[in-house]
Short mmCIF file of all heavy atoms in Angstrom, two decimals:
data_model
loop_
_atom_site.label_atom_id
_atom_site.label_comp_id
_atom_site.label_asym_id
_atom_site.label_seq_id
_atom_site.Cartn_x
_atom_site.Cartn_y
_atom_site.Cartn_z
N VAL A 1648 8.20 -15.45 -55.78
CA VAL A 1648 7.88 -14.03 -55.56
C VAL A 1648 8.15 -13.23 -56.84
O VAL A 1648 7.37 -12.33 -57.21
CB VAL A 1648 8.70 -13.44 -54.38
CG1 VAL A 1648 8.49 -11.94 -54.27
CG2 VAL A 1648 8.32 -14.12 -53.07
N MET A 1649 9.25 -13.59 -57.51
CA MET A 1649 9.59 -12.91 -58.75
C MET A 1649 8.42 -12.97 -59.75
O MET A 1649 8.13 -12.00 -60.43
CB MET A 1649 10.80 -13.64 -59.33
CG MET A 1649 11.60 -12.89 -60.32
SD MET A 1649 13.10 -13.87 -60.60
CE MET A 1649 12.74 -14.40 -62.24
N GLN A 1650 7.76 -14.12 -59.79
CA GLN A 1650 6.65 -14.28 -60.73
C GLN A 1650 5.35 -13.65 -60.21
O GLN A 1650 4.55 -13.14 -60.97
CB GLN A 1650 6.45 -15.77 -61.04
CG GLN A 1650 7.63 -16.31 -61.84
CD GLN A 1650 7.67 -17.83 -61.88
OE1 GLN A 1650 7.04 -18.45 -62.72
NE2 GLN A 1650 8.42 -18.41 -60.96
N GLU A 1651 5.19 -13.68 -58.87
CA GLU A 1651 3.97 -13.10 -58.29
C GLU A 1651 4.01 -11.57 -58.25
O GLU A 1651 2.98 -10.93 -58.21
CB GLU A 1651 3.80 -13.58 -56.83
CG GLU A 1651 3.38 -15.02 -56.69
CD GLU A 1651 3.72 -15.57 -55.30
OE1 GLU A 1651 4.13 -14.80 -54.39
OE2 GLU A 1651 3.57 -16.79 -55.14
N GLU A 1652 5.23 -11.02 -58.21
CA GLU A 1652 5.36 -9.57 -58.06
C GLU A 1652 6.17 -8.99 -59.22
O GLU A 1652 7.31 -8.54 -59.03
CB GLU A 1652 6.03 -9.24 -56.71
CG GLU A 1652 5.24 -9.76 -55.52
CD GLU A 1652 5.85 -9.40 -54.16
OE1 GLU A 1652 6.78 -8.57 -54.10
OE2 GLU A 1652 5.39 -9.95 -53.16
N PRO A 1653 5.57 -8.98 -60.42
CA PRO A 1653 6.31 -8.49 -61.59
C PRO A 1653 6.70 -7.01 -61.48
O PRO A 1653 7.59 -6.55 -62.19
CB PRO A 1653 5.36 -8.74 -62.77
CG PRO A 1653 4.01 -8.95 -62.17
CD PRO A 1653 4.22 -9.46 -60.78
N TRP A 1654 6.04 -6.29 -60.56
CA TRP A 1654 6.39 -4.87 -60.40
C TRP A 1654 7.87 -4.71 -60.04
O TRP A 1654 8.47 -3.68 -60.32
CB TRP A 1654 5.50 -4.20 -59.35
CG TRP A 1654 5.70 -4.70 -57.93
CD1 TRP A 1654 4.97 -5.65 -57.30
CD2 TRP A 1654 6.71 -4.29 -57.00
NE1 TRP A 1654 5.45 -5.86 -56.02
CE2 TRP A 1654 6.52 -5.04 -55.81
CE3 TRP A 1654 7.76 -3.38 -57.04
CZ2 TRP A 1654 7.34 -4.89 -54.68
CZ3 TRP A 1654 8.59 -3.23 -55.92
CH2 TRP A 1654 8.37 -3.97 -54.76
N ARG A 1655 8.45 -5.75 -59.42
CA ARG A 1655 9.85 -5.62 -59.00
C ARG A 1655 10.78 -5.46 -60.21
O ARG A 1655 11.67 -4.62 -60.21
CB ARG A 1655 10.28 -6.83 -58.15
CG ARG A 1655 9.67 -6.79 -56.78
CD ARG A 1655 10.05 -7.97 -55.91
NE ARG A 1655 9.34 -7.86 -54.66
CZ ARG A 1655 9.80 -7.24 -53.56
NH1 ARG A 1655 11.01 -6.75 -53.56
NH2 ARG A 1655 9.07 -7.16 -52.48
N GLN A 1656 10.57 -6.29 -61.21
CA GLN A 1656 11.42 -6.17 -62.41
C GLN A 1656 11.18 -4.81 -63.10
O GLN A 1656 12.12 -4.17 -63.57
CB GLN A 1656 11.15 -7.32 -63.37
CG GLN A 1656 12.23 -7.43 -64.45
CD GLN A 1656 11.83 -8.36 -65.60
OE1 GLN A 1656 10.86 -9.10 -65.50
NE2 GLN A 1656 12.57 -8.29 -66.69
N GLU A 1657 9.89 -4.40 -63.11
CA GLU A 1657 9.58 -3.11 -63.76
C GLU A 1657 10.22 -1.95 -63.01
O GLU A 1657 10.80 -1.05 -63.60
CB GLU A 1657 8.05 -2.90 -63.80
CG GLU A 1657 7.37 -3.72 -64.89
CD GLU A 1657 5.90 -4.01 -64.56
OE1 GLU A 1657 5.26 -3.17 -63.89
OE2 GLU A 1657 5.42 -5.09 -64.95
N LYS A 1658 10.16 -2.01 -61.66
CA LYS A 1658 10.73 -0.93 -60.84
C LYS A 1658 12.26 -0.93 -60.99
O LYS A 1658 12.88 0.14 -61.07
CB LYS A 1658 10.32 -1.13 -59.37
CG LYS A 1658 10.70 0.02 -58.48
CD LYS A 1658 9.78 1.21 -58.74
CE LYS A 1658 10.11 2.51 -58.15
NZ LYS A 1658 11.01 2.98 -57.38
N LEU A 1659 12.83 -2.13 -61.05
CA LEU A 1659 14.29 -2.22 -61.23
C LEU A 1659 14.68 -1.54 -62.54
O LEU A 1659 15.61 -0.73 -62.59
CB LEU A 1659 14.71 -3.71 -61.25
CG LEU A 1659 16.18 -3.98 -61.53
CD1 LEU A 1659 17.06 -3.41 -60.42
CD2 LEU A 1659 16.43 -5.49 -61.66
N ARG A 1660 13.93 -1.86 -63.62
CA ARG A 1660 14.22 -1.26 -64.92
C ARG A 1660 14.08 0.26 -64.86
O ARG A 1660 14.93 1.00 -65.36
CB ARG A 1660 13.30 -1.85 -66.00
CG ARG A 1660 13.31 -1.12 -67.33
CD ARG A 1660 12.67 -1.91 -68.43
NE ARG A 1660 13.40 -3.12 -68.71
CZ ARG A 1660 14.46 -3.20 -69.50
NH1 ARG A 1660 14.92 -2.12 -70.10
NH2 ARG A 1660 15.07 -4.33 -69.69
N GLU A 1661 13.01 0.71 -64.19
CA GLU A 1661 12.80 2.17 -64.06
C GLU A 1661 14.00 2.80 -63.33
O GLU A 1661 14.53 3.82 -63.76
CB GLU A 1661 11.50 2.37 -63.28
CG GLU A 1661 11.05 3.79 -63.16
CD GLU A 1661 9.85 3.88 -62.21
OE1 GLU A 1661 8.88 3.11 -62.39
OE2 GLU A 1661 9.91 4.70 -61.27
N ASN A 1662 14.47 2.13 -62.26
CA ASN A 1662 15.58 2.67 -61.48
C ASN A 1662 16.88 2.72 -62.27
O ASN A 1662 17.58 3.72 -62.28
CB ASN A 1662 15.78 1.84 -60.21
CG ASN A 1662 14.77 2.18 -59.14
OD1 ASN A 1662 14.06 3.18 -59.26
ND2 ASN A 1662 14.67 1.35 -58.11
N PHE A 1663 17.20 1.60 -62.95
CA PHE A 1663 18.50 1.64 -63.64
C PHE A 1663 18.47 2.51 -64.89
O PHE A 1663 19.47 3.11 -65.27
CB PHE A 1663 19.12 0.25 -63.86
CG PHE A 1663 18.46 -0.69 -64.84
CD1 PHE A 1663 18.46 -0.45 -66.20
CD2 PHE A 1663 17.90 -1.89 -64.39
CE1 PHE A 1663 17.89 -1.35 -67.09
CE2 PHE A 1663 17.31 -2.80 -65.27
CZ PHE A 1663 17.31 -2.52 -66.63
N THR A 1664 17.28 2.63 -65.50
CA THR A 1664 17.17 3.51 -66.67
C THR A 1664 17.34 4.96 -66.23
O THR A 1664 18.04 5.75 -66.87
CB THR A 1664 15.81 3.31 -67.37
OG1 THR A 1664 15.67 1.92 -67.67
CG2 THR A 1664 15.71 4.10 -68.66
N TYR A 1665 16.71 5.29 -65.10
CA TYR A 1665 16.83 6.66 -64.56
C TYR A 1665 18.30 6.97 -64.26
O TYR A 1665 18.82 8.02 -64.66
CB TYR A 1665 15.98 6.75 -63.28
CG TYR A 1665 16.07 8.08 -62.56
CD1 TYR A 1665 15.53 9.23 -63.12
CD2 TYR A 1665 16.69 8.17 -61.31
CE1 TYR A 1665 15.60 10.45 -62.46
CE2 TYR A 1665 16.76 9.39 -60.64
CZ TYR A 1665 16.22 10.52 -61.21
OH TYR A 1665 16.30 11.74 -60.57
N MET A 1666 18.98 6.06 -63.59
CA MET A 1666 20.38 6.30 -63.22
C MET A 1666 21.27 6.40 -64.45
O MET A 1666 22.15 7.26 -64.53
CB MET A 1666 20.89 5.21 -62.27
CG MET A 1666 20.35 5.30 -60.88
SD MET A 1666 20.62 6.93 -60.10
CE MET A 1666 22.35 6.85 -59.65
N ARG A 1667 21.04 5.52 -65.42
CA ARG A 1667 21.88 5.56 -66.64
C ARG A 1667 21.69 6.91 -67.35
O ARG A 1667 22.66 7.58 -67.71
CB ARG A 1667 21.49 4.40 -67.57
CG ARG A 1667 22.44 4.21 -68.72
CD ARG A 1667 22.03 3.06 -69.59
NE ARG A 1667 20.74 3.27 -70.21
CZ ARG A 1667 19.79 2.34 -70.37
NH1 ARG A 1667 20.00 1.11 -69.95
NH2 ARG A 1667 18.66 2.63 -70.94
N THR A 1668 20.43 7.32 -67.48
CA THR A 1668 20.15 8.59 -68.18
C THR A 1668 20.78 9.76 -67.43
O THR A 1668 21.43 10.62 -68.04
CB THR A 1668 18.61 8.80 -68.26
OG1 THR A 1668 18.04 7.60 -68.78
CG2 THR A 1668 18.24 9.96 -69.13
N GLU A 1669 20.59 9.78 -66.13
CA GLU A 1669 21.06 10.93 -65.35
C GLU A 1669 22.59 10.96 -65.24
O GLU A 1669 23.20 12.02 -65.30
CB GLU A 1669 20.43 10.91 -63.95
CG GLU A 1669 18.94 11.18 -63.96
CD GLU A 1669 18.58 12.50 -64.64
OE1 GLU A 1669 19.14 13.54 -64.24
OE2 GLU A 1669 17.75 12.49 -65.57
N LEU A 1670 23.21 9.80 -65.09
CA LEU A 1670 24.68 9.76 -65.00
C LEU A 1670 25.29 10.20 -66.34
O LEU A 1670 26.29 10.93 -66.38
CB LEU A 1670 25.18 8.36 -64.62
CG LEU A 1670 24.98 7.98 -63.15
CD1 LEU A 1670 25.19 6.48 -62.94
CD2 LEU A 1670 25.93 8.76 -62.24
N GLN A 1671 24.65 9.76 -67.44
CA GLN A 1671 25.13 10.20 -68.76
C GLN A 1671 24.95 11.70 -68.93
O GLN A 1671 25.82 12.39 -69.44
CB GLN A 1671 24.37 9.46 -69.87
CG GLN A 1671 25.11 8.18 -70.29
CD GLN A 1671 24.21 7.21 -71.04
OE1 GLN A 1671 22.99 7.35 -71.06
NE2 GLN A 1671 24.83 6.21 -71.64
N ARG A 1672 23.81 12.19 -68.44
CA ARG A 1672 23.56 13.64 -68.55
C ARG A 1672 24.61 14.44 -67.77
O ARG A 1672 25.05 15.49 -68.20
CB ARG A 1672 22.15 13.94 -68.00
CG ARG A 1672 21.61 15.30 -68.39
CD ARG A 1672 20.20 15.52 -67.87
NE ARG A 1672 20.07 15.32 -66.44
CZ ARG A 1672 20.50 16.16 -65.51
NH1 ARG A 1672 21.07 17.29 -65.85
NH2 ARG A 1672 20.36 15.89 -64.22
N LEU A 1673 25.07 13.87 -66.65
CA LEU A 1673 26.12 14.56 -65.87
C LEU A 1673 27.47 14.50 -66.58
O LEU A 1673 28.40 15.21 -66.21
CB LEU A 1673 26.25 13.91 -64.48
CG LEU A 1673 25.12 14.18 -63.49
CD1 LEU A 1673 25.30 13.36 -62.22
CD2 LEU A 1673 25.05 15.67 -63.15
N GLY A 1674 27.58 13.62 -67.57
CA GLY A 1674 28.83 13.56 -68.34
C GLY A 1674 29.71 12.36 -68.02
O GLY A 1674 30.85 12.29 -68.48
N PHE A 1675 29.22 11.40 -67.25
CA PHE A 1675 30.03 10.21 -66.95
C PHE A 1675 30.05 9.26 -68.14
O PHE A 1675 29.09 9.19 -68.91
CB PHE A 1675 29.47 9.47 -65.72
CG PHE A 1675 29.74 10.17 -64.42
CD1 PHE A 1675 28.73 10.86 -63.75
CD2 PHE A 1675 31.01 10.15 -63.86
CE1 PHE A 1675 28.96 11.50 -62.55
CE2 PHE A 1675 31.26 10.80 -62.65
CZ PHE A 1675 30.24 11.47 -62.01
N GLU A 1676 31.14 8.52 -68.25
CA GLU A 1676 31.28 7.51 -69.30
C GLU A 1676 30.81 6.17 -68.71
O GLU A 1676 31.34 5.71 -67.71
CB GLU A 1676 32.77 7.42 -69.69
CG GLU A 1676 33.03 6.47 -70.81
CD GLU A 1676 34.51 6.13 -70.94
OE1 GLU A 1676 35.37 6.80 -70.32
OE2 GLU A 1676 34.79 5.14 -71.65
N LEU A 1677 29.81 5.56 -69.35
CA LEU A 1677 29.20 4.35 -68.77
C LEU A 1677 29.35 3.10 -69.63
O LEU A 1677 28.84 2.04 -69.27
CB LEU A 1677 27.69 4.59 -68.51
CG LEU A 1677 27.30 5.84 -67.73
CD1 LEU A 1677 25.79 5.90 -67.58
CD2 LEU A 1677 27.96 5.86 -66.35
N GLY A 1678 29.97 3.19 -70.79
CA GLY A 1678 30.07 2.02 -71.65
C GLY A 1678 28.72 1.65 -72.24
O GLY A 1678 27.87 2.53 -72.46
N LYS A 1679 28.50 0.33 -72.44
CA LYS A 1679 27.30 -0.09 -73.18
C LYS A 1679 26.24 -0.71 -72.27
O LYS A 1679 25.48 -1.57 -72.71
CB LYS A 1679 27.70 -1.12 -74.23
CG LYS A 1679 28.57 -0.55 -75.33
CD LYS A 1679 28.79 -1.62 -76.37
CE LYS A 1679 29.72 -1.16 -77.46
NZ LYS A 1679 30.28 -2.30 -78.20
N THR A 1680 26.23 -0.33 -71.01
CA THR A 1680 25.28 -0.97 -70.10
C THR A 1680 23.81 -0.77 -70.51
O THR A 1680 23.42 0.31 -70.96
CB THR A 1680 25.46 -0.46 -68.65
OG1 THR A 1680 24.46 -1.09 -67.84
CG2 THR A 1680 25.31 1.05 -68.55
N GLU A 1681 23.04 -1.85 -70.34
CA GLU A 1681 21.59 -1.77 -70.57
C GLU A 1681 20.85 -2.41 -69.41
O GLU A 1681 19.69 -2.77 -69.52
CB GLU A 1681 21.21 -2.54 -71.83
CG GLU A 1681 21.67 -1.93 -73.14
CD GLU A 1681 21.34 -2.87 -74.28
OE1 GLU A 1681 20.19 -2.86 -74.73
OE2 GLU A 1681 22.23 -3.61 -74.70
#
Side-chain angles (χ1 to χ4, degrees):
V1648 173
M1649 200 170 110
Q1650 292 166 86
E1651 287 160 8
E1652 300 183 11
W1654 66 263
R1655 287 179 183 268
Q1656 194 193 347
E1657 283 155 31
K1658 188 73 190 358
L1659 176 64
R1660 168 166 296 276
E1661 186 187 310
N1662 282 348
F1663 69 69
T1664 305
Y1665 177 69
M1666 286 306 283
R1667 190 179 63 220
T1668 310
E1669 292 304 307
L1670 285 167
Q1671 268 162 348
R1672 196 178 54 75
L1673 288 174
F1675 286 105
E1676 183 195 347
L1677 309 180
K1679 294 185 183 161
T1680 178
E1681 290 175 81

